[in-house]
Amino acid sequence: MSRRRSTALAALAALAPLAALTGCGGDAAPAPEAPSPTGSAAAPIRIATGPTGQTAVLAHVYAERLRGAGFDASVVDTGTGRSGHLEALERGDVELAADYSGNLYLHLRAPRAVGPGAAPTPSPGATAPSAQRTTPPDRGLAEDLSELLGLGGEGAGDEDVLGGVRDVLPEGLQMLEPAPAENRIAVVVTRATAVEHGLEDLEDLGPVCSALDLGADPDFAARPYGSEGLEDAYECVPEDVVPFASTGELVTALLADDVQAAALFTASPAIEDNGLVVLGDPLDNFVPQRVVPVGAEDLPEAAVQVVDDVSAGIDTDDLVLMTRMTTARDPYTPEEAARYWLDGDDDT
């Protein structure tokens, strides 16, 4: 466990004030010096909060690093709907946002309404896109990812999805370097269950699946990667798929053996806190979800380098820490969590 993360755990357990968290070390590489902004690089860079609490923390991390490199950077709350920050990017209301590769690709491939009244009115002074378009509310994984990517029956791997995002981004936008961090759905079990059944990946789960109950969020069973995906890829048909309204309730049921497996996001702190075993997904049933910054094509090269350098130091453990801090009983704001992460990074 890194020094940054172990310090955070102790601080959260003690509910220490934010001031006590500064000056802690970490294992991310020191931020390299970025080129000094010149000319058009002095233009403000507005960063959307993105669709999750994690992307909101990342927005503040990007902003702080950009300010340190001489840019006028700020964070803009665009709501948690994916269409919010994408439309803001297309309109020119913001210049940068972090998202997750799989859900971003599926959202961009969803049908879009076209025509007068279909898109929100741009804010004063904003540059409207040449064709007013808006996306419907997120449909989740309503379409098969592999078919959309032209892979046929093969599972969609990480690079397939990243390439797909690059291909379908709206005109005027670019995908910057993805971070190593990911937050995809995975099936997890307790260590006792893993030992009892010899489980390392979902291929091991298939032969014993019918004897186990699987806990998940209420929509899991109906999604293509849910009951249908597990059966198609791994011949895994649980005895029952039990819906839970919250991650806390699901983890409690798993630890009590009320369910023997659970579908959780890989950046959930509950996995580490309870020593849960993440089962591998060799056939890529679950959609890859890498952190991907999306920016305007005219974003200054010096700013792109700053963001790329930050992204290179963000891994899944960092997402776990950010989630832990912003969902604690006495939660930190995204800006406070970003400041803590940056303090740890600066002290390495």
Side-chain angles (χ1 to χ4, degrees):
M1 181 182 296
S2 70
R3 187 149 55 98
R4 178 197 299 142
R5 293 173 60 223
S6 61
T7 303
L9 290 174
L12 286 169
L15 296 178
L18 183 65
L21 295 177
T22 58
C24 300
D27 47 16
E33 291 186 13
S36 299
T38 56
S40 62
I45 298 176
R46 296 157 295 185
I47 307 163
T49 48
T52 70
Q54 297 155 352
T55 59
V57 175
L58 289 172
H60 286 282
V61 170
Y62 293 142
E64 185 63 24
R65 282 283 186 240
L66 286 165
R67 286 192 288 265
F71 291 93
D72 176 12
S74 59
V75 175
V76 178
D77 186 354
T78 49
T80 57
R82 185 160 276 105
S83 59
H85 66 270
L86 289 175
E87 289 169 1
L89 280 164
E90 289 190 77
R91 291 195 304 267
D93 291 349
V94 298
E95 288 73 39
L96 182 66
D99 208 329
Y100 288 97
S101 57
N103 285 340
L104 174 60
Y105 176 77
L106 288 164
H107 184 87
L108 290 169
R109 285 298 306 269
R112 287 185 156 202
V114 180
T121 304
S123 59
T127 302
S130 56
Q132 293 287 350
R133 301 180 297 170
T134 185
T135 54
D138 280 342
R139 304 190 313 170
L141 299 179
E143 297 179 81
D144 185 86
L145 179 64
S146 295
E147 290 182 5
L148 288 172
L149 288 164
L151 301 174
E154 297 181 15
D158 188 53
E159 291 302 322
D160 297 316
V161 175
L162 292 174
V165 171
R166 292 187 184 95
D167 290 342
V168 299
L169 275 177
E171 184 178 356
L173 302 182
Q174 62 174 321
M175 189 183 87
L176 281 61
E177 285 299 312
E182 67 171 5
N183 191 22
R184 71 164 78 190
I185 288 287
V187 173
V188 305
V189 297
T190 63
R191 195 163 302 280
T193 298
V195 171
E196 178 183 357
H197 297 288
L199 303 179
E200 293 184 0
D201 59 35
L202 291 173
E203 289 185 325
D204 299 328
L205 185 66
V208 299
C209 198
S210 61
L212 308 179
D213 289 335
L214 173 69
D217 68 78
D219 299 323
F220 177 87
R223 293 176 181 144
Y225 62 68
S227 298
E228 179 184 348
L230 288 175
E231 181 176 6
D232 289 347
Y234 298 106
E235 298 182 356
C236 172
V237 181
E239 182 174 359
D240 194 12
V241 177
V242 184
F244 289 88
S246 72
T247 298
E249 292 174 352
L250 172 55
V251 172
T252 297
L254 180 66
L255 297 176
D257 201 37
D258 293 333
V259 296
Q260 291 72 50
L264 292 178
F265 282 102
T266 52
S268 170
I271 296 175
E272 180 182 33
D273 292 349
N274 297 285
L276 302 178
V277 176
V278 178
L279 300 183
D281 181 16
L283 300 181
D284 293 313
N285 176 59
F286 296 113
V287 177
Q289 301 287 0
R290 286 272 294 281
V291 171
V292 287
V294 177
E297 278 189 341
D298 59 359
L299 200 64
E301 184 58 35
V304 171
Q305 180 178 324
V306 171
V307 176
D308 286 349
D309 290 340
V310 171
S311 294
I314 302 288
D315 61 19
T316 303
D317 285 344
D318 293 307
L319 294 185
V320 173
L321 173 60
M322 293 171 185
T323 304
R324 187 187 303 282
M325 297 188 76
T326 55
T327 60
R329 183 174 300 177
D330 186 13
Y332 299 98
T333 67
E335 185 172 8
E336 290 169 342
R339 182 66 263 161
Y340 171 73
W341 189 91
L342 288 163
D343 285 344
D345 188 42
D346 290 341
D347 285 349
T348 55

